[in-house]
Amino acid sequence: SAVISQKPSRDICQRGTSLTIQCQVDSQVTMMFWYRQQPGQSLTLIATANQGSEATYESGFVIDKFPISRPNLTFSTLTVSNMSPEDSSIYLCSVVLDPGELFFGEGSRLTVL
Amino acid sequence: GNSVTQMEGPVTLSEEAFLTINCTYTATGYPSLFWYVQYPGEGLQLLLKATKADDKGSNKGFEATYRKETTSFHLEKGSVQVSDSAVYFCALSAGGGYQKVTFGTGTKLQVIP
């Protein structure tokens, strides 16, 4: 298993500002994933973050809006840039240990006013 | 592409009632199947999994059987408790280097005393 810590757990932000979410894992992992869970909806993969390379973004998500850093094998950040109310979501960091088996952080609940 | 279809919620049951949450899938190849649970205010956690046809995953009294012939992975529990109130997500992983996970839309379960 893996223990994943995310910060902040929740925040309320103003439109047009940016917020960086941090994800710390208690073991070294090759791949880290960022998901978005909009209110009442399922999880959508934003991007895959590999250490030492650019993140890979899913369709509908772009680096300018969601820049990601992965400086080492235990840490990653996701920035939500130029926020609008539509960005209000829970953002989840996750890692995979066994194929397909994800471990999640508790999520960062973001409200944009 | 891959997809997961879950029964819509919310599902409201009395304590000690029998639970079934239906899940069907579409995938290429031979996917692994999962049920994740999200308790209020928490991130997702793996509840159970099955990696090949006819496998039964089980945990905390919950069971699900991988049915290839009906492409289903229904979640069952014989006697639910108030503490089982949560959102349940069916998911699959198939193909790709790390076996990308596809989630269903989630089913909210509320158990009343």
Side-chain angles (χ1 to χ4, degrees), chain A residues 33 37 42 58 99-102, chain B residues 36 38 46 49 99-100 104:
Chain A
F33 308 95
Q37 185 180 18
S42 187
E58 298 297 307
E101 185 175 333
L102 294 169
Chain B
Y36 285 85
Q38 186 177 34
L46 180 67
K49 68 177 181 180
Q99 298 189 333
K100 180 179 175 178

Side-chain angles (χ1 to χ4, degrees), chain B residues 67-85:
Chain B
R67 300 289 188 196
K68 190 171 183 297
E69 64 276 12
T70 55
T71 62
S72 65
F73 193 55
H74 304 322
L75 182 68
E76 297 182 335
K77 186 174 185 181
S79 176
V80 293
Q81 305 299 313
V82 173
S83 57
D84 294 325
S85 298

Side-chain angles (χ1 to χ4, degrees), chain A residues 76-96:
Chain A
S76 178
T77 68
L78 169 76
T79 298
V80 186
S81 302
N82 188 23
M83 289 184 286
S84 67
E86 292 71 34
D87 294 320
S88 297
S89 292
I90 300 173
Y91 292 85
L92 294 153
C93 172
S94 69
V95 302
V96 60

Side-chain angles (χ1 to χ4, degrees), chain A residues 31 33 35 37 40-43 45 48 58 90 92 96 98-102 104-106, chain B residues 32 34 36 38 41-46 49 87 89 93 98-101 103-106:
Chain A
M31 303 175 80
F33 308 95
Y35 284 84
Q37 185 180 18
Q41 297 187 27
S42 187
L43 281 76
L45 181 63
T48 303
E58 298 297 307
I90 300 173
L92 294 153
V96 60
D98 291 329
E101 185 175 333
L102 294 169
F104 287 88
E106 293 187 352
Chain B
S32 294
F34 306 86
Y36 285 85
Q38 186 177 34
E42 300 184 14
L44 275 76
Q45 56 185 276
L46 180 67
K49 68 177 181 180
V87 181
F89 292 90
S93 69
Y98 76 92
Q99 298 189 333
K100 180 179 175 178
V101 180
F103 287 89
T105 54

